[in-house]
Amino acid sequence: MARRMDVTGAGGVRLAAWEFADPPKPEAEPIPPQGGPDAVAQEAEHGAPGVLLLHGLMGRASHWAGTARWLAGRHRAVALDQRGHGRSDKPARAAYTRDAYVEDAEAAVEQLGLGPVLLVGHAMGALTAWQLAAKRPDLVRGLIICDMRASALGAASQREWADWFRSWPVPFASLADVRKWFGEDDPWVERPSPARGAFYAEVMHECEDGWRPVFEPEQMLSSRETWVYDAHWEELAQVRCPTLVVRGVDGELGRAEAQEMVRVLPRGRYAEIADAGHLAHYDLPEAWQAAVSPFLDSLHEG
C-alpha cells in the first residue's frame, strides 16, 4: 500500500506525495525518537538516500509505483502528485507556471527531508527536475531525465494538443472503454498499446455521467504553454550533478537531440531503451530498470 504525505507547495497549494514501499532501514546507528528541531535533517542524513519521482503532464504519482518499489531496496523513494494532477490541489489556471512547479518540487524535497536528492523525471516532470537541479545544486545529487526535449516545440504543437483534448470522447462509459480508446482508437496511437490504455485509465475517475480525467484539460494546456514555446538548453547547461538522459527508441526525444543534451550537460550520460516509446518507464519496466541501474550504481559508488 502507498503512504500519503502532504506537502505545502508554492502559493500554499496542497500537494500529495506518496511512498509506495517502506523505506529501507538505515545502516547507521538508530536515531532517537525525539530528535528535536533538526530531526528531519538528521533522518535524511542517517537514513537511506532520497529519491523524488516526478510524473509528466497528465500523469500521477502512481505511474511511478513500480519504479518506487524497485528503488525502495536501498532508497527512500517518494513520488509527487504535481499541482493539478492526481490527489493534489487543482488551483486556478494562472497558478500553472514553471516557477510554481519547480518550487513545489523544491518544497517536497525540503519538507520530506529527501535532500540531497536523486530526481527522476518523465517528460514535463523531467524539465521540472533539471530546472530544480540548476536552481538548487545543493539540494540535488543526481538526475535522471526520461524522454523530455530541450528544444522549443512551438505554437503548432500547442494547437495539436488542444485539438487532441477536444477529440476525447468523454465521458467514457467504462474503464474498458478508456483503455480501448487510448490504447487503440486514439488517432495519436500508431499501433495498439495496452500499456498506454492502462496509463490513461489510471488518470480517470467515475462521475455521475461516466469516467472523466481527474485533471482539467484547460489546466494541462496552461501548464504546457509555460514551457512549450521556449528552449531549455541554458538551464540544462547549469545542471552540475551527474545526469542520465534516457530515451525510448520510439519516443518523442530523438537520438541526435538526446546526445546533444548529454554533450551540453557538464556530467551527462546517455541510455536508450529498444522497443520503448514515450512511456518507457511504465511500458517496459524491466528494460527501464536495466537502463538506469548502472547510473544508480555509479551514484552509490561515488
Side-chain angles (χ1 to χ4, degrees):
M1 291 186 61
R3 179 168 71 98
R4 173 175 172 163
M5 300 164 288
D6 285 342
V7 171
T8 302
V13 171
R14 184 184 56 85
L15 306 169
W18 304 87
E19 200 161 5
F20 287 92
D22 292 334
K25 290 181 169 43
E27 295 179 3
E29 59 186 70
I31 311 273
Q34 299 297 325
D38 296 326
V40 171
Q42 290 176 3
E43 180 182 353
E45 179 181 350
H46 290 273
V51 178
L52 183 66
L53 300 140
L54 299 173
H55 60 73
L57 190 72
M58 300 181 295
R60 66 186 309 168
S62 63
H63 287 143
W64 285 117
T67 295
R69 293 190 178 104
W70 170 65
L71 288 171
R74 55 181 180 176
H75 302 83
R76 183 184 174 208
V78 175
L80 182 68
D81 274 337
Q82 296 177 77
R83 60 177 53 215
H85 298 75
R87 297 287 184 86
S88 290
D89 283 352
K90 298 166 178 60
R93 178 172 178 168
Y96 295 91
T97 65
R98 279 285 83 217
D99 286 346
Y101 275 106
V102 173
E103 288 172 21
D104 288 349
E106 183 179 7
V109 174
E110 293 185 325
Q111 292 173 31
L112 300 177
L114 296 173
V117 71
L118 167 64
L119 295 175
V120 183
H122 172 244
M124 184 190 73
L127 175 59
T128 299
W130 88 58
Q131 289 179 327
L132 176 56
K135 175 186 177 184
R136 291 289 308 273
D138 60 304
L139 211 59
V140 183
R141 66 186 179 91
L143 171 64
I144 298 178
I145 295 169
C146 180
D147 211 54
M148 179 61 190
R149 300 182 61 184
S151 298
L153 302 183
S157 173
Q158 188 72 351
R159 288 193 297 270
E160 288 172 1
W161 273 70
D163 291 342
W164 179 58
F165 276 129
R166 285 191 289 269
S167 75
W168 291 17
V170 291
F172 294 92
S174 67
L175 281 179
D177 289 337
V178 173
R179 295 187 187 97
K180 184 176 185 301
W181 195 82
F182 286 101
E184 300 177 24
D185 300 338
D186 181 351
W188 281 19
V189 174
E190 295 181 358
R191 59 179 180 269
S193 173
R196 188 176 188 270
F199 182 94
Y200 282 97
E202 284 196 47
V203 298
M204 298 289 164
H205 64 150
E206 191 170 16
C207 304
E208 290 184 1
D209 59 350
W211 292 82
R212 294 179 177 273
V214 298
F215 51 78
E216 294 294 333
E218 282 302 316
Q219 292 177 342
M220 297 300 98
L221 288 171
S222 296
S223 296
R224 197 172 185 272
E225 71 184 5
T226 63
W227 54 263
V228 73
Y229 302 112
D230 301 315
H232 304 282
W233 295 98
E234 183 176 347
E235 293 153 304
L236 199 67
Q238 295 170 5
V239 175
R240 299 299 169 186
C241 63
T243 302
L244 180 67
V245 177
V246 185
R247 63 177 289 269
V249 170
D250 297 323
E252 296 179 10
L253 176 60
R255 180 180 284 111
E257 183 171 351
Q259 292 177 342
E260 179 64 11
M261 290 169 66
V262 172
R263 189 193 68 79
V264 167
L265 283 158
R267 303 173 68 184
R269 304 184 191 181
Y270 174 74
E272 66 180 31
I273 303 174
D275 302 319
H278 183 57
L279 306 177
H281 64 295
Y282 187 88
D283 191 5
L284 297 173
E286 291 183 1
W288 158 255
Q289 292 169 19
V292 303
S293 284
F295 179 76
L296 296 175
D297 291 341
S298 71
L299 291 181
H300 282 278
E301 292 166 2

